[in-house]
């Protein structure tokens, strides 16, 4: 630990408090360490799969969904062509239009000038209503709707706010710089107008990890999030659980994925007043090390059959038990969620925030929906959370140079 940091901890009394709480100084340092984000790091827009699916999760998120006010398929093509071209520029850290326009408004809002691409990715999703809206086939796409793109069923614990749900189209923007991510959203909203009207949007930080190269970060409840995720390096698991393919998906979706998004509020005030033992039993993991209750290190195997004095060491309602492949016919999902903050909860005076839970999978019917049914029944985490927003999207495969997102579908 640096002298400056030691002096800072001593000055604030935190060093002493840490010792009193039994927290090693190394742990404090580890919690705050993050790999330095490289402003010039670039992730190409073109490829077999959309960037932003298995890309090691960047630090910041801007997520938005849009409703279409046009019923013209030609307008939809133009919109997706314009957004794709803009995504190419944005991923290179370039403006989406001329900046030096004299008497005319600039073609780009300009707040990313000098910031670099910061590993920005823009990923697009197509909502159920793009294919059929209240029985209407606005764009002649109803017969092309993939079978896995179902409406999410109601779950017993849902407390959904319709203004935080759905959308004809979704844009997921991730970057290592918050202003670079915001700039992308700002300009994509501008370029989408008037055909696409934003429906809901949310900024996120503090991602779930999905790469062996990443240290597992902590969520707002203080637990490491992403330990047992599908890792971007695990090609066999990606092929089996993430990429859309035959027989359930149509050819235009091969190499794409289905994205489920849930806005999950965490009752932070009540959680903060919960004993550490109770917190750890809720997840089935130790808070500081991230180890399962049956181990001592983060990546130790989760032993669901272990018991102490005849009682399961990982409780029956623990989140990692009910979400595990063992309890879900072997199914897994690729989680890529972010924390969010939304002001102060006037009822409790605590921070109002939670998780924008985002996951990718080959077929939500056997993956997210089956797992969430299980969790909604018995997950101990339900006492501390509420699902208030929900959406599902088909994310087409990646774009080849000269093409644009979903072009094969709209041909
Ligand atoms: C506020 C909401 C949630 C929080 C804070 C949360 C947090 C966590 C944490 C801390 C872990 C253990 C570490 C890890 O393996 O990443 C975990 C595991 C997991 N969670 Fe969640 N989670 C939430 C909601 C959900 C939802 C809605 C689902 C899916 C429907 C889900 C699916 C999973 C899965 C599949 C695992 C891995 C289980 C395993 O195989 O060990 N989580 N979650």
């Amino acid at each position: 630990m640096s002298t400056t940091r030691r002096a800072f901890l001593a000055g604030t009394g935190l060093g002493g408090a840490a010792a009193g709480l039994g927290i090693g100084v190394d742990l404090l340092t580890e919690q705050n360490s993050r790999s330095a984000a490289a402003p010039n790091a670039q992730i190409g827009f073109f490829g077999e799969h959309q960037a932003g699916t298995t890309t090691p999760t960047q630090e910041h998120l801007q997520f938005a969904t849009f409703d279409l006010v046009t019923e013209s398929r030609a307008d939809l093509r133009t919109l997706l062509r314009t957004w794709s071209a803009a995504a190419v520029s944005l991923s290179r850290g370039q403006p989406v239009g001329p900046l030096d326009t004299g008497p005319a408004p600039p073609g780009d809002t300009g707040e990313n000038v000098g910031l670099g691409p910061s590993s920005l990715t823009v990923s697009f999703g197509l909502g159920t209503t793009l294919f059929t809206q209240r029985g209407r086939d606005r764009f002649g796409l109803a017969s092309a709707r993939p079978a896995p793109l179902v409406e999410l069923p109601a779950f017993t614990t849902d407390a959904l706010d319709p203004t935080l749900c759905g959308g004809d189209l979704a844009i997921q923007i991730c970057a290592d710089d918050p202003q670079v991510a915001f700039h992308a959203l700002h300009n994509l909203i501008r370029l989408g107008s008037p055909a696409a009207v934003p429906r809901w949007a949310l900024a996120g930080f503090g991602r779930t990890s999905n790469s062996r190269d990443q240290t597992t970060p902590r969520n707002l409840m203080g637990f490491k999030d992403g330990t047992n995720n599908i890792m971007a390096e695990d090609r066999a698991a990606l092929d089996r659980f993430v990429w859309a393919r035959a027989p359930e998906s149509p050819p235009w979706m091969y190499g794409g994925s289905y994205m489920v998004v849930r806005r999950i509020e965490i009752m932070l005030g009540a959680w903060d007043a919960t004993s550490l033992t109770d917190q750890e039993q809720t997840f089935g993991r130790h808070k500081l090390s991230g180890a399962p209750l049956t181990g001592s290190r983060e990546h130790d195997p989760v032993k669901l059959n272990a018991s102490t004095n005849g009682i399961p060491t990982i409780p029956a309602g623990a989140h990692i038990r009910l979400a595990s492949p063992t309890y879900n016919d072997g199914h897994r999902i690729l989680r890529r969620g972010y924390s969010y903050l939304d002001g102060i909860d006037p009822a409790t005076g605590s921070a109002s925030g939670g998780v924008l839970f985002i996951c990718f999978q080959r077929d939500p019917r056997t993956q997210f929906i089956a797992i969430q049914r299980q969790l909604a029944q018995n997950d101990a985490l339900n006492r501390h959370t509420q699902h208030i927003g929900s959406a599902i999207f088909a994310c087409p495969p990646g774009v080849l140079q000269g093409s644009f997102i979903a072009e094969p579908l709209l041909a």
Side-chain angles (χ1 to χ4, degrees):
M1 185 172 63
S2 72
T3 322
T4 334
R5 182 160 164 73
R6 199 174 291 122
F8 170 76
L9 287 176
T12 56
L14 283 176
L21 291 168
I23 302 173
V25 166
D26 281 353
L27 183 61
L28 283 178
T29 315
E30 179 246 63
Q31 276 177 295
N32 293 332
S33 71
R34 284 272 167 83
S35 57
N40 292 325
Q42 237 185 72
I43 295 167
F45 177 72
F46 298 110
E48 185 185 358
H49 309 293
Q50 283 201 63
T53 314
T54 57
T55 309
T57 317
Q58 303 93 320
E59 297 289 345
H60 299 276
L61 167 81
Q62 290 286 348
F63 195 98
T65 77
F66 296 81
D67 285 335
L68 292 169
V69 291
T70 173
E71 301 212 346
S72 145
R73 189 161 163 145
D75 285 353
L76 177 58
R77 281 175 61 90
T78 304
L79 172 70
L80 295 179
R81 187 186 287 118
T82 306
W83 272 352
S84 300
V88 173
S89 303
L90 293 164
S91 64
R92 293 175 179 158
Q94 294 167 352
V96 298
L99 291 163
D100 187 4
T101 48
D108 181 289
T109 53
E111 69 270 33
N112 73 333
V113 174
L115 290 180
S118 300
S119 300
L120 176 126
T121 55
V122 181
S123 327
F124 298 97
L126 316 177
T128 56
T129 47
L130 190 74
F131 296 87
T132 22
Q133 189 190 47
R134 291 187 289 274
R136 291 188 56 235
D137 184 4
R138 292 176 294 166
F139 303 101
L141 294 175
S143 61
R145 180 169 170 169
L149 185 69
V150 292
E151 298 294 346
L152 292 178
F155 299 101
T156 47
T157 48
D158 281 356
L160 302 180
D161 171 347
T163 64
L164 303 176
C165 296
D168 292 335
L169 296 169
I171 298 184
Q172 176 199 255
I173 298 161
C174 303
D176 282 329
D177 182 299
Q179 184 146 326
V180 167
F182 172 78
H183 166 262
L185 179 64
H186 190 185
N187 283 276
L188 291 169
I189 290 177
R190 206 173 50 80
L191 292 170
S193 176
V197 176
R199 183 179 171 88
W200 60 268
L202 195 64
F205 60 94
R207 78 267 186 292
T208 308
S209 60
N210 70 335
S211 163
R212 294 194 180 115
D213 291 340
Q214 294 178 317
T215 309
T216 316
R218 292 177 191 275
N219 59 30
L220 298 186
M221 302 169 101
F223 279 75
K224 292 191 173 197
D225 210 324
T227 305
N228 247 353
N229 204 355
I230 295 180
M231 294 290 147
E233 296 80 11
D234 189 347
R235 292 186 71 109
L238 296 176
D239 285 341
R240 182 157 167 222
F241 296 115
V242 178
W243 304 129
R245 60 179 154 111
E248 67 279 356
S249 282
W252 69 265
M253 268 300 288
Y254 293 175
S257 193
Y258 299 91
M259 170 170 64
V260 173
V261 186
R262 303 282 284 183
R263 180 164 166 167
I264 308 175
E265 193 177 315
I266 301 171
M267 279 72 100
L268 287 168
W271 175 255
D272 299 344
T274 301
S275 74
L276 176 61
T277 311
D278 195 346
Q279 292 189 359
E280 294 187 332
Q281 301 254 319
T282 299
F283 283 107
R285 284 188 178 271
H286 292 292
K287 188 168 187 176
L288 296 183
S289 63
L293 295 182
T294 51
S296 58
R297 288 201 292 209
E298 184 189 349
H299 293 284
D300 283 351
V302 177
K303 295 181 182 154
L304 294 174
N305 292 329
S307 59
T308 319
N309 301 325
I311 298 168
T313 315
I314 296 176
H319 182 68
I320 63 161
R321 175 183 291 280
L322 298 173
S324 72
T326 311
Y327 278 65
N328 293 286
D329 289 329
H331 287 298
R332 303 177 68 196
I333 49 179
L334 171 64
R335 290 172 283 142
R336 216 174 178 285
Y338 284 83
S339 299
Y340 72 87
L341 180 65
D342 188 16
I344 300 297
D345 178 350
T348 62
S350 295
S352 171
V355 177
L356 190 66
F357 179 90
I358 300 175
C359 66
F360 292 92
Q361 60 241 277
R362 178 179 159 187
D363 189 340
R365 295 172 296 181
T366 50
Q367 295 174 271
F368 174 82
I369 293 174
I371 299 172
Q372 180 52 25
R373 275 212 172 101
Q374 177 88 253
L375 293 178
Q377 293 285 327
N378 293 314
D379 188 358
L381 192 55
N382 296 340
R383 285 184 286 134
H384 303 282
T385 58
Q386 242 185 357
H387 290 228
I388 56 174
S390 179
I392 180 170
F393 301 95
C395 299
V399 176
L400 301 179
Q401 212 134 5
S403 182
F404 61 89
I405 194 77
E407 188 180 22
L409 168 70
L410 298 168

